[in-house]
Amino acid sequence: HLSGILSSKAERARSAMMNADMDAVEAENQVELEEKTRLINQVLELQHTLEDLSARVDAVKEENLKLKSENQVLGQYIENLMSASSVFQTTDTKSKRK
């Protein structure tokens, strides 16, 4: 009868240790899962930020091309005005002296 009691206590102790080990593994798995989830969310956030920055760069490039084109038109306009104005005409001083 005593050996049965000891055997039963040993089984309960072994079972308790196994349960504790399983709980520790489960807690570790939960921590790993939370860390993976956090990293995945961080990667997704960085991807969205990159997409936003890329779209912004494209918009700035478009605006830059538009402004360059407008500057060329304005430069040509100013050049035409200057060539039509007598104030900006070059004078030939040699022909005036003769």
Side-chain angles (χ1 to χ4, degrees):
H1 180 54
L2 183 59
S3 66
I5 293 173
L6 290 177
S7 175
S8 177
K9 284 186 178 183
E11 281 296 319
R12 282 193 300 245
R14 200 175 309 125
S15 177
M17 286 175 51
M18 287 177 60
N19 285 342
D21 287 345
M22 287 173 39
D23 288 345
V25 168
E26 191 175 306
E28 188 176 316
N29 287 342
Q30 182 65 27
V31 168
E32 286 180 12
L33 180 62
E34 288 173 0
E35 180 67 9
K36 285 180 184 178
T37 302
R38 186 186 67 78
L39 289 173
I40 288 169
N41 287 336
Q42 189 176 14
V43 166
L44 291 173
E45 183 179 332
L46 289 171
Q47 283 178 337
H48 293 307
T49 301
L50 181 59
E51 289 170 358
D52 292 344
L53 289 172
S54 181
R56 178 70 179 130
V57 166
D58 290 342
V60 168
K61 282 181 180 179
E62 275 187 44
E63 182 67 17
N64 188 35
L65 288 174
K66 180 181 169 189
L67 290 174
K68 277 184 179 181
S69 175
E70 288 176 4
N71 282 343
Q72 285 178 335
V73 170
L74 288 174
Q76 187 62 48
Y77 177 73
I78 290 170
E79 205 174 290
N80 291 342
L81 285 177
M82 289 173 59
S83 66
S85 171
S86 61
V87 174
F88 297 105
Q89 295 297 320
T90 59
T91 58
D92 191 352
T93 55
K94 290 181 181 176
S95 65
K96 286 185 179 180
R97 289 186 185 166
K98 288 185 179 181

